[in-house]
Amino acid sequence: MRAMKKGLMSIVGVALLGTQLVACGNTNTANSANEPSNNTDKSEPAATETAAKPAEITWWNFPSFQALDGEVGKYEKEIIAAFNEKNPEIKVNLEMITFEGGPEKLNVAIASNTAPDVIYDAPGRIIDWGKKDLLAPLNDMVTDEVKNDISEAFWKQSSVGDETFMYPINTAPFMMAVNKTVFEKIGALDLLPLDKEDRTWTFEEYKKALEAVKEKAPDVIPTGFFAKSQAGDQGTRAYLANLGVSRFLNEDNSAVAINTDNAAKALDWIVQATKDKLSVSGAASLAAADVNDLFLQGKLAFTLNYSAVLKAQNVSKKMVEFEDVLLPFPTLDGSEPKLEPYLGGMAVFNNGDEAKITASKKLIDFIANDPVWGKKNLIQTGGLSVRNSITGLYDDAEYKYAEYARKFTTDAPTIADGYADIRTFWFPELQRALTGGATGKEALDSFAAKANEAITKAKAAMK
Amino acid sequence: MKKWGRTVGTTVRKIKGYVIRDWMMSYLFLVPAFGFFLLFVAYPMVKGVYISFFDYSLRDFSFIGLDNYISLIKDDNFRKSMGNTLLLVLITVPIVIIFSLFISMNIYKKKEFARSFFRGVFYLPAVSSVVSITVVWGWIYHPNYGILNYLTSFLGMEPISWLGDTRTALLAIIVVLITTSVGQPIILYVASIGNIPTSYIEAAEIDRATPWQIFRKILWPMLMPTNLYIIVITTINTFQCFALIQLLTSGGPVYSTSTVMYGVYEQAFMLGHFGYASAMGVILAIVIGIISIIQFKYFGSDVEY
């Protein structure tokens, strides 16, 4: 009997420990956070037209702007100070979050009814929140002039149905990059497509460039690949899709399209390239940041997850001096590449307080459209404007190319229903192929089956 | 106004006319700690069990009964994670016990300075930040520039992707887990061995007992309370291994290092499936509870010396 009591006490004791981790949410919050969104008056006047009301809002920001004087958040504080000169009645509390821990922090905040009022982020998360009725629609902010100045593809990424949930601000196509200095040193610059205006190239040309690095610069790893975690998955998606001339999802995002024979062959080639030391070894245990770090240390000739924004952000992280040049992904047949767009913009959480929503919209309007700060902010992101009318922000060959490469932009799968779940299936399947557990085709088919099921479930849940 | 007095074996004090006995005071002193326990331990636990019966995501909160548990049983990844977790425990706990006992047996006889030095050396990983240690091990295991591959290259071995190969990843995690887990057991064993009266060992030596016999018949039984504590704590810590996995492998490759605790984190904080994650937490707690009962049953004994 005593032993039984002891046992029961043990169970209770360990149960106390084991179940704490996930019990931090407020059960009422999910509902209460949602209810007000249904009450939102979509016919309210534009944020800028409403009378000034005192409000205190919280702005959570990923490091979307380059740090000023090496201090993260300093530039954002300058924005707020400038905003307050025009809107002294609105107090903005800034909280900087990181790309590593920020998403989890946001999930917990939303679930515990402590979400911020305004955020600068990308469609992957914002549209998911929009679909879950967590955000305030921004339709009243979108004037005809703005609507017509931004391409339909960006609006598609910023909206759920007719409701706009993200105010798009900056963009840049995701590409790959090459350490041009390495090719200069080995006398193989002619192997890169830099003499062509569009810099497009074929899979065969790319392989020749890799072979040259392997042969003439043995201390440098020709190219990279990564499959440890979700961050940077747009790089591996686009790499494989272009090498195999395949789309990642079909055009209406209702099913996976990457599991073609050509894409499977491309994945098999990546696995073989790893064995042949043309591609970094241990890709299954490397994250996108690890591979970019190798590139910034001058140890890698090509990196797969780059853009004009990342190029600007990486200037201070370079461990050795070299010239990094943007390149589109090579395609199997030399056809035009398809580049996923990076899109940054701002969203407002519907925390049930109209004054805060209105104040948040004013802040967004200031950041995006202020005659002085709008342009300044864009440059500080290192990105291009989503507005067709705003070009020539930078006097730099790489930016000019990034602007040019916008014509290769394809649909981003980030707005697909169930995207959050879809991306969790991607890396395990790449890992299966990389570790020899499956052929390229088996891995991609397995990914397609799981992802398609997630899409179907997500669509059903929305009805 | 206080009056002090003493009844049979009980101190009594009067505060504003109320008689307060010592045992009452004891409970009063416990109130703050118990309050914290209720607020930060018991309430989240009960709430965790409660929401495991709900579809609790960022948007929804609806009662679904046992659906989360049924889905978990059918979830291949959860089964794989549970298998990995049990494997981690089965391999790590005995090695930690044997390794720490072996080290302790060798250092407890040494002079105080040497004893402190070795205790410090082995305890250092236990007090260091898991993140720092993991970063160091990440460098050691790095597939291209890791020191481990550099060392094995002298043996003529090809570089191995220690964390990127399904055959070696869990092993690599186990090695790190062991190095970070032996510190505390060593401290406890050295203290416990020092408390065992030397006369028992001297008597055994006079009777020509071998070192192995002395260990098996005298030391091991007398260390049982310490063994029980170390086994239970190491088992629970191993079940709850999370930061190491997240930082070194993110559960990969192909879920080969995914544990239940990492799954809880992934489902709750990355995907926002709080109800499902709570159900995983409840199952993990039940498994730990059952194993703890077994451990108490087989290793629990009262020793006086």
Side-chain angles (χ1 to χ4, degrees):
Chain A
M1 191 66 188
R2 197 179 157 198
M4 201 172 161
K5 269 186 185 173
K6 258 177 151 181
L8 280 172
M9 290 308 289
S10 306
I11 287 188
V12 171
V14 290
L16 290 171
L17 287 170
T19 54
Q20 284 179 71
L21 185 69
V22 292
C24 54
N26 179 349
T27 50
N28 297 325
T29 59
N31 289 335
S32 61
N34 299 329
E35 284 163 9
S37 79
N38 300 328
N39 301 331
T40 305
D41 181 5
K42 290 166 195 166
S43 62
E44 68 174 336
T48 48
E49 292 167 18
T50 53
K53 281 184 191 169
E56 183 171 345
I57 57 171
T58 303
W59 173 21
W60 281 16
N61 199 34
F62 288 99
S64 306
F65 301 101
Q66 292 164 60
L68 198 64
D69 302 329
E71 187 187 321
V72 175
K74 188 176 177 182
Y75 182 77
E76 285 83 345
K77 283 176 192 163
E78 287 191 0
I79 294 177
I80 292 167
F83 172 69
N84 280 147
E85 280 178 19
K86 293 186 175 177
N87 300 277
E89 76 285 0
I90 299 171
K91 186 181 177 197
V92 182
N93 300 311
L94 172 72
E95 188 170 334
M96 295 301 295
I97 52 177
T98 63
F99 287 114
E100 290 77 27
E104 285 86 341
K105 196 172 171 181
L106 277 159
N107 276 346
V108 173
I110 293 165
S112 57
N113 206 21
T114 54
D117 296 300
V118 61
I119 188 154
Y120 199 131
D121 201 359
R125 276 179 287 271
I126 288 177
I127 294 307
D128 193 42
W129 296 327
K131 286 174 183 171
K132 289 171 179 165
D133 290 338
L134 297 165
L135 301 177
L138 307 178
N139 295 34
D140 55 335
M141 290 183 70
V142 183
T143 60
D144 286 345
E145 185 257 325
V146 172
K147 183 86 184 166
N148 296 330
D149 200 20
I150 296 174
S151 74
E152 192 52 38
F154 289 140
W155 286 122
K156 206 171 153 188
Q157 276 187 272
S158 308
S159 311
V160 178
D162 294 334
E163 289 184 324
T164 300
F165 287 113
M166 186 177 89
Y167 195 90
I169 295 176
N170 67 328
T171 183
F174 278 115
M175 285 187 264
M176 54 192 279
V178 63
N179 181 331
K180 188 181 168 190
T181 311
V182 165
F183 279 85
E184 280 168 349
K185 280 183 185 168
I186 63 174
L189 211 50
D190 60 314
L191 295 178
L192 299 176
L194 300 178
D195 53 345
K196 293 163 74 176
E197 188 189 17
D198 61 6
R199 300 185 186 177
T200 55
W201 56 333
T202 64
F203 193 8
E204 282 306 316
E205 289 167 338
Y206 172 56
K207 283 194 275 190
K208 276 182 191 161
L210 300 182
E211 292 285 356
V213 175
K214 185 186 171 188
E215 188 186 325
K216 295 174 184 170
D219 291 342
V220 179
I221 303 164
T223 194
F225 197 72
F226 49 88
K228 180 185 172 185
S229 59
Q230 292 172 21
D233 52 359
Q234 66 276 355
T236 51
R237 274 199 307 258
Y239 189 48
L240 207 54
N242 280 288
L243 293 184
V245 199
S246 306
R247 284 180 62 92
F248 187 70
L249 298 181
N250 65 7
E251 289 191 11
D252 62 0
N253 289 325
S254 62
V256 167
I258 190 73
N259 54 331
T260 62
D261 288 343
N262 280 340
K265 279 178 195 164
L267 182 53
D268 287 334
W269 173 81
I270 290 167
V271 175
Q272 190 56 45
T274 308
K275 290 175 187 162
D276 295 343
K277 301 193 189 311
L278 286 172
S279 188
V280 70
S281 60
S285 65
L286 296 176
D290 299 325
V291 172
N292 267 358
D293 281 348
L294 287 174
F295 182 69
L296 297 172
Q297 291 163 21
K299 293 172 179 170
L300 202 63
F302 290 94
T303 191
L304 306 183
N305 188 39
Y306 232 62
S307 68
V309 175
L310 283 169
K311 181 176 158 60
Q313 287 174 356
N314 285 337
V315 170
S316 59
K317 296 180 190 167
K318 273 189 182 171
M319 308 290 278
V320 292
E321 275 301 309
F322 69 90
E323 191 181 350
D324 47 350
V325 173
L326 294 169
L327 282 177
F329 294 99
T331 56
L332 183 64
D333 53 4
S335 56
E336 282 197 348
K338 291 188 176 70
L339 307 179
E340 280 192 27
Y342 163 78
L343 181 60
M346 299 189 75
V348 177
F349 279 96
N350 187 349
N351 288 327
D353 185 330
E354 282 305 320
K356 284 178 183 252
I357 291 172
T358 306
S360 300
K361 288 177 180 177
K362 280 189 175 182
L363 177 66
I364 293 174
D365 187 50
F366 177 82
I367 289 172
N369 301 322
D370 184 80
V372 177
W373 283 85
K375 186 178 172 185
K376 205 172 162 182
N377 294 339
L378 263 174
I379 293 170
Q380 197 69 18
T381 65
L384 309 165
S385 174
V386 290
R387 304 276 288 264
N388 296 323
S389 62
I390 302 174
T391 54
L393 287 168
Y394 312 89
D395 186 21
D396 177 285
E398 291 312 294
Y399 273 106
K400 281 180 184 153
Y401 177 68
E403 195 119 35
Y404 178 92
R406 282 172 70 168
K407 73 174 192 168
F408 301 134
T409 302
T410 186
D411 304 328
T414 49
I415 56 170
D417 296 327
Y419 174 71
D421 287 317
I422 292 171
R423 66 192 308 212
T424 63
F425 305 128
W426 179 239
F427 278 129
E429 291 306 331
L430 292 185
Q431 289 170 352
R432 271 206 325 138
L434 287 165
T435 55
T439 63
K441 185 70 175 144
E442 285 166 351
L444 293 180
D445 281 343
S446 172
F447 166 71
K450 289 172 189 166
N452 288 339
E453 194 183 331
I455 293 169
T456 309
K457 265 188 194 171
K459 281 187 187 297
M462 287 180 68
K463 281 170 190 169
Chain B
M1 188 65 184
K2 294 179 189 173
K3 283 185 183 175
W4 297 81
R6 185 172 280 277
T7 59
V8 186
T10 310
T11 307
V12 176
R13 66 191 76 187
K14 280 191 171 181
I15 301 173
K16 291 183 178 175
Y18 291 99
V19 175
I20 309 286
R21 295 184 188 282
D22 255 8
W23 64 268
M24 292 178 181
M25 289 301 288
S26 308
Y27 281 109
L28 276 176
F29 281 119
L30 282 175
V31 166
F34 193 64
F36 274 103
F37 168 80
L38 288 178
L39 193 61
F40 296 112
V41 179
Y43 173 73
M45 182 211 78
V46 173
K47 200 67 173 267
V49 175
Y50 175 71
I51 64 177
S52 72
F53 299 108
F54 286 78
D55 176 11
Y56 182 13
S57 62
L58 295 182
R59 181 180 56 169
D60 305 311
F61 188 71
S62 50
F63 182 76
I64 53 169
L66 291 171
D67 281 6
N68 282 329
Y69 292 93
I70 293 166
S71 300
L72 273 175
I73 291 166
K74 293 176 184 167
D75 186 340
D76 289 342
N77 292 342
F78 175 70
R79 286 204 299 267
K80 175 93 179 159
S81 300
M82 185 57 89
N84 287 339
T85 310
L86 291 171
L87 199 60
L88 269 183
V89 171
L90 282 174
I91 297 173
T92 305
V93 176
I95 292 177
V96 166
I97 302 294
I98 292 166
F99 192 53
S100 53
L101 199 52
F102 178 76
I103 303 238
S104 308
M105 298 288 288
N106 280 289
I107 65 174
Y108 92 98
K109 280 182 184 170
K110 297 198 184 298
K111 289 182 180 169
E112 182 54 33
F113 172 77
R115 212 160 53 212
S116 300
F117 172 77
F118 284 114
R119 277 190 304 208
V121 165
F122 287 108
Y123 199 60
L124 200 59
V127 292
S128 303
S129 153
V130 180
V131 176
S132 313
I133 289 175
T134 308
V135 168
V136 172
W137 277 99
W139 289 336
I140 292 170
Y141 287 137
H142 197 286
N144 300 288
Y145 303 102
I147 194 167
L148 192 55
N149 275 345
Y150 177 73
L151 293 173
T152 54
S153 70
F154 291 118
L155 303 171
M157 288 170 65
E158 281 290 305
I160 295 171
S161 175
W162 298 98
L163 298 170
D165 192 317
T166 47
R167 291 164 300 182
T168 56
L170 194 64
L171 186 69
I173 294 284
I174 287 169
V175 170
V176 185
L177 199 53
I178 288 169
T179 59
T180 53
S181 302
V182 292
Q184 198 181 19
I186 287 173
I187 299 281
L188 292 169
Y189 273 133
V190 170
S192 297
I193 293 168
N195 284 336
I196 296 173
T198 51
S199 54
Y200 295 167
I201 298 166
E202 284 165 3
E205 283 171 346
I206 289 167
D207 290 340
R208 294 190 174 179
T210 63
W212 173 243
Q213 285 173 322
I214 292 172
F215 173 77
R216 202 163 59 90
K217 300 285 186 186
I218 298 172
L219 292 177
W220 181 253
M222 300 200 86
L223 286 172
M224 269 318 209
T226 311
N227 288 336
L228 175 66
Y229 176 77
I230 292 172
I231 288 169
V232 171
I233 291 299
T234 309
T235 302
I236 292 174
N237 286 344
T238 309
F239 266 113
Q240 295 189 335
C241 172
F242 162 70
L244 199 62
I245 305 281
Q246 195 217 2
L247 294 167
L248 278 180
T249 60
S250 296
V254 206
Y255 305 105
S256 63
T257 60
S258 180
T259 59
V260 178
M261 214 56 178
Y262 181 77
V264 169
Y265 160 77
E266 194 176 39
Q267 288 294 332
F269 302 114
M270 288 171 74
L271 295 171
H273 301 156
F274 293 97
Y276 196 68
S278 294
M280 290 170 90
V282 170
I283 289 181
L284 181 66
I286 291 169
V287 171
I288 295 176
I290 291 168
I291 290 177
S292 296
I293 290 170
I294 295 168
Q295 288 170 335
F296 271 96
K297 188 171 170 57
Y298 286 98
F299 293 99
S301 67
D302 297 325
V303 176
E304 283 181 26
Y305 46 82

